[in-house]
Amino acid sequence: MSRKLIRDAVHGDIEVSALEIELMDTSEFQRLRGIKQLGTAYLVFPSAVHTRFEHSLGTSWMAHQIVEAIRRTHPIPADDELVIRIAALLHDIMHIPFGHTLEDERRVLPRHDKDEARVSYFLRESSVGRILEREGIQDRIVGILKGKKDFMSDIAGGAISADLLDYLRRDTYFCGLAQNYDTRVFESFVVDQNRLVVNLEKNGVLRRDALSELVNLLRIRYTLSERVYFHHTKIASGAMISKAVELALAEGLRPEDLRSLKDETLFYVLRTQFQSQPIIRRLVEKIEARQLYKSCYVLTTAIGEARQQEIVHRLHYGVEARNEAERGIARAAGIEAEQVIIYCPSIGMSLPEAEVQVRLEGGRLSPLSGSNNDEIRILKEKHKALWRLFVLIDRSVVGKSEAVRRAAADILS
């Protein structure tokens, strides 16, 4: 099969190789057509229904653009580019429905790239794995996607990577946000000490235009976090999905059962296979009807770093402690336990893109955050301040809001 052109709404024509086409035609990859890139963000931004399928395709194309830029100063054999592009194409293959919600926000399941069983299933045992083994690139792809420390892994999924460069454009486009970056950013990519580096110097002098464009990427990333990723409606719906899956896992749903599911089939399974658990069914029905839980009590970074760390350790990483706190708030407020959900994210909201390695004056390497740029420092602080703990309650008990707030303040203090 020859190469093929695919028309993409964001990048225009994308050229894919015969091997990429073969991988895309597997059932494991086609499944990504049914997994929305932004989870429940479509409840806020109706056009945000783009999927991990087109994002993966776009990421492979962005990897190609980065490689083409690097080739001006660093030779990259065609075989290595193919491996980089395949790794970029497959970087989300291990995702399950609402993956970031389940793995990062409520920690119901381990992260997709840290779950050895899932890595093995998708990259070694599946049709995708068999194709990679046949091509003799399986171990290299697995190494890149598990974060091997080299420029190839950096291109596929580093701080400033093909992944980021696709989703910044794709997510802003489908959410209707007027944000974009200049493609000249690709000209700044170089390889230094076997790592992907953004070159911000020329003839020993800082290139302020390159620095400005890199800061622009951080601005777009912050805007998406503030307006989309941490929107209160997305948080509430995500917390409800997480609670439903958490309850289903306690009732016999196996983590491996999620590997073949899409967004809609997950909802179907939760509705039909757990008929004896009406709480699970009601949570799904409320999400589908957009009857979402309401925020009743909120904590912000104003509580101080020490208390924030203690609460996160107790309620983000401690599943039973979080469930007990939900039950305690419900008892004190005189409502049912399932009518309360605690959303407590981790503290890992430090804008990791600001830590990308850059080449500064005189050729010295440093994280971008070490460039003494005030706007970068402010963006990092603002991004960190997006942290919120929410106590959410069912709409049917909003009359008990004051009792819930008192109970939450007492139990979470």
Side-chain angles (χ1 to χ4, degrees):
M1 186 185 300
S2 61
R3 290 177 174 267
K4 184 177 182 179
L5 282 180
I6 298 176
R7 176 55 61 93
D8 178 65
V10 175
H11 303 305
D13 283 342
I14 292 176
E15 186 177 355
V16 292
S17 67
L19 180 56
E20 287 175 292
I21 295 169
E22 184 180 8
L23 288 164
M24 289 165 59
D25 283 344
T26 62
S27 59
E28 292 84 11
F29 197 93
Q30 289 293 315
R31 177 185 62 95
L32 298 180
R33 291 184 185 273
I35 298 179
K36 295 182 186 68
Q37 172 75 5
L38 293 180
T40 56
Y42 66 93
L43 295 172
V44 185
F45 303 94
S47 59
V49 292
H50 54 298
T51 70
R52 294 204 175 274
F53 181 95
E54 57 259 39
H55 165 59
S56 297
L57 180 61
T59 300
S60 176
W61 188 238
M62 291 297 93
H64 169 71
Q65 303 297 323
I66 294 173
V67 169
E68 285 295 292
I70 291 172
R71 277 200 173 114
R72 294 194 305 270
T73 57
H74 184 91
I76 298 179
D79 288 349
D80 283 354
E81 179 183 357
L82 180 63
V83 169
I84 292 169
R85 286 196 59 169
I86 294 300
L89 182 73
L90 299 178
H91 81 286
D92 272 355
I93 191 70
M94 295 170 286
H95 264 289
I96 56 174
F98 308 103
H100 283 307
T101 298
L102 299 175
E103 297 164 11
D104 300 327
E105 296 177 20
R106 197 171 163 92
R107 284 183 60 82
V108 176
L109 295 165
R111 275 184 56 89
H112 62 284
D113 53 354
K114 304 299 182 185
D115 186 339
E116 291 294 336
R118 217 188 306 175
V119 171
S120 179
Y121 173 78
F122 281 107
L123 297 179
R124 296 196 183 278
E125 302 165 18
S126 68
S127 300
V128 168
R130 288 190 288 275
I131 293 171
L132 298 178
E133 183 179 27
R134 184 198 71 204
E135 295 296 317
I137 59 175
Q138 188 178 60
D139 289 342
R140 296 181 73 189
I141 297 296
V142 171
I144 290 172
L145 295 183
K146 290 179 70 174
K148 181 182 177 182
K149 303 300 183 183
D150 63 13
F151 80 91
M152 298 175 76
S153 183
D154 293 337
I155 291 173
I160 303 291
S161 63
D163 178 25
L164 177 91
L165 292 172
D166 180 78
Y167 77 67
L168 287 186
R169 279 193 164 174
R170 196 169 300 279
D171 291 356
T172 53
Y173 178 85
F174 284 104
C175 289
L177 304 179
Q179 301 277 331
N180 206 343
Y181 59 83
D182 195 317
T183 55
R184 290 187 68 183
V185 71
F186 290 101
E187 296 180 9
S188 299
F189 287 115
V190 295
V191 172
D192 195 319
Q193 299 179 21
N194 201 37
R195 301 301 299 270
L196 182 67
V197 170
V198 182
N199 182 30
L200 300 182
E201 68 95 23
K202 185 175 183 179
N203 299 325
V205 179
L206 180 68
R207 290 181 53 202
R208 297 196 177 278
D209 59 335
L211 175 60
S212 177
E213 191 53 42
L214 200 50
V215 173
N216 184 46
L217 291 179
L218 268 63
R219 284 194 214 102
I220 299 171
R221 178 66 172 81
Y222 172 78
T223 299
L224 280 168
S225 295
E226 179 187 49
R227 298 182 62 180
V228 180
Y229 305 153
F230 301 120
H231 191 284
H232 61 88
T233 297
K234 185 176 184 298
I235 284 172
S237 53
M240 293 168 70
I241 291 170
S242 296
K243 187 67 175 180
V245 172
E246 187 177 298
L247 293 170
L249 289 168
E251 293 298 322
L253 180 69
R254 301 174 304 166
E256 55 266 35
D257 294 335
L258 300 171
R259 296 172 185 166
S260 62
L261 300 182
K262 306 172 186 177
D263 292 354
E264 293 303 319
T265 48
L266 172 61
F267 281 174
Y268 177 80
V269 167
L270 293 175
R271 273 197 312 268
T272 60
Q273 293 189 13
F274 297 93
Q275 301 251 355
S276 61
Q277 297 295 319
I279 298 170
I280 297 174
R281 187 185 69 253
R282 283 201 298 270
L283 282 168
V284 173
E285 290 173 348
K286 285 176 181 292
I287 295 165
E288 293 180 320
R290 208 179 183 277
Q291 298 299 305
L292 306 178
Y293 280 34
K294 304 285 287 184
S295 172
C296 183
Y297 180 81
V298 183
L299 291 178
T300 71
T301 54
I303 62 177
E305 188 175 346
R307 188 181 174 204
Q308 182 191 16
Q309 289 179 344
E310 185 276 325
I311 287 176
V312 167
H313 179 75
R314 177 159 55 106
L315 300 179
H316 179 73
Y317 296 102
V319 176
E320 186 48 47
R322 183 174 63 227
N323 290 334
E324 180 53 40
E326 290 172 347
R327 291 191 290 266
I329 292 170
R331 280 195 303 270
I335 60 180
E336 299 298 321
E338 66 269 16
Q339 294 174 316
V340 177
I341 301 177
I342 294 174
Y343 170 88
C344 179
S346 71
I347 305 178
M349 300 171 67
S350 57
L351 201 63
E353 294 77 11
E355 304 311 311
V356 65
Q357 286 291 303
V358 297
R359 183 191 287 166
L360 298 172
E361 305 97 312
R364 65 186 177 93
L365 297 183
S366 168
L368 177 61
S369 60
S371 63
N372 296 320
N373 182 284
D374 286 340
E375 187 170 2
I376 294 171
R377 177 183 54 78
I378 292 168
L379 282 169
K380 284 191 67 176
E381 291 174 356
K382 288 173 64 178
H383 197 272
K384 190 175 181 180
L386 291 175
W387 183 89
R388 298 283 189 278
L389 178 149
F390 290 95
V391 175
L392 306 156
I393 60 172
D394 193 319
R395 288 169 178 252
S396 64
V397 293
V398 291
K400 295 277 191 173
S401 294
E402 186 56 39
V404 171
R405 280 191 284 271
R406 288 197 301 268
D410 181 51
I411 290 172
L412 301 181
S413 63

